Amino acid sequence: MNVTIHYFALLRERRGREVEDVDVEEGLTVRDLFDRIFPPEPDPPPPVLFVMDEEYVSPSTPLRPGARVGFIPPLGGG
Amino acid sequence: MSHLHLQADPLDPRAVEARVAAPGCGAVVTFIGTVRDDAKGTERVVALEYEAWPQMAGPEFDRIAAELAREWPEARVAAVHRTGRVAVGEASIVISVAAPHRVEAFAACRACIDAVKARLPVWKREIRSDGGTSWVANAEFAPED
């Protein structure tokens, strides 16, 4: 199934793009997807919050077909 | 319409206050967050550059406003956040809360800025006097794992 990933701030710089579509298997969680794209070794990514369809979700939330996923690196608003 | 506006132009606190003012409200509390000249070693911060995710920032601020409304049902809240480069001394955010009395207006405004710093999908990069830049994190950002 297909999901769209949005990258921001330092994760956008690290990934070299703002958005991408990826094809993933059923049952994958948002945390699984993040770990696949930003493996903890050898260069650990920053702590993140997870977003699906414009709402924060827990790391263990399974991906839905067509989901808009956001990986939220450390925030700086205000 | 969302309670939050994102804009690249300088902020006008009076305009935000005007959006929450109401005949039944005897108090308006406005928080203005400004960019400070934060010394790191020998280099000064000359500006902050803000990046937002507009598709989520509006809905997330509305969720914050709904949470505030549960605790302070009579409070009216509005906010505007800068995007792009914001120079030292300029406002990066204005939050106004109007309520019948000052106690709930102060409390709701404080709760609002705390939630914004923890949850609103906005990022900032500091730009220093030597041209160096780095992403800066709010202390309130706290993933659960």
Side-chain angles (χ1 to χ4, degrees):
Chain A
M1 64 183 183
N2 205 261
V3 301
T4 303
I5 311 173
H6 295 263
Y7 301 102
F8 306 96
L10 75 173
L11 289 181
R12 170 170 43 72
E13 292 177 346
R14 192 157 151 174
R15 187 64 175 163
R17 65 191 75 178
E18 292 182 10
V19 62
E20 70 179 323
D21 289 332
V22 295
D23 191 37
V24 297
E25 65 271 27
E26 302 267 338
L28 210 67
T29 68
V30 287
R31 159 63 80 184
D32 294 335
L33 180 61
F34 181 77
D35 290 344
R36 188 173 290 186
I37 294 171
F38 299 103
E41 301 292 337
D43 187 13
V48 292
L49 293 170
F50 298 96
V51 168
M52 200 153 60
D53 299 337
E54 289 80 48
E55 274 200 76
Y56 287 111
V57 294
S58 101
S60 60
T61 306
L63 294 165
R64 286 192 295 271
R68 295 179 299 280
V69 175
F71 298 135
I72 306 295
L75 291 167
Chain B
M1 193 176 77
S2 172
H3 302 75
L4 174 73
H5 290 177
L6 299 169
Q7 69 178 56
D9 298 327
L11 307 183
D12 176 7
R14 299 290 90 80
V16 185
E17 290 167 352
R19 285 167 50 203
V20 297
C25 291
V28 177
V29 169
T30 295
F31 171 79
I32 304 176
T34 55
V35 175
R36 68 174 184 271
D37 170 11
D38 210 357
K40 287 244 174 52
T42 58
E43 300 302 332
R44 287 176 304 105
V45 170
V46 295
L48 293 176
E49 195 166 66
Y50 287 90
E51 166 186 337
W53 188 11
Q55 288 79 3
M56 180 182 172
E60 186 62 19
F61 191 87
D62 290 345
R63 285 188 282 270
I64 292 170
E67 291 168 19
L68 298 175
R70 282 198 286 278
E71 188 152 3
W72 298 283
E74 294 177 295
R76 298 159 52 83
V77 60
V80 57
H81 201 303
R82 279 287 287 277
T83 56
R85 186 175 172 125
V86 185
V88 166
E90 292 184 348
S92 54
I93 189 169
V94 174
I95 297 173
S96 285
V97 177
H101 304 287
R102 69 185 183 282
V103 172
E104 59 262 43
F106 273 112
C109 191
R110 170 67 190 269
C112 188
I113 181 60
D114 288 353
V116 160
K117 284 185 162 283
R119 293 163 48 184
L120 200 69
V122 174
W123 298 267
K124 70 183 169 210
R125 174 158 49 185
E126 64 179 29
I127 301 167
R128 294 179 295 272
S129 47
D130 65 350
T133 69
S134 46
W135 295 101
V136 186
N138 291 337
E140 293 82 357
F141 178 80
E144 59 190 70
D145 63 335

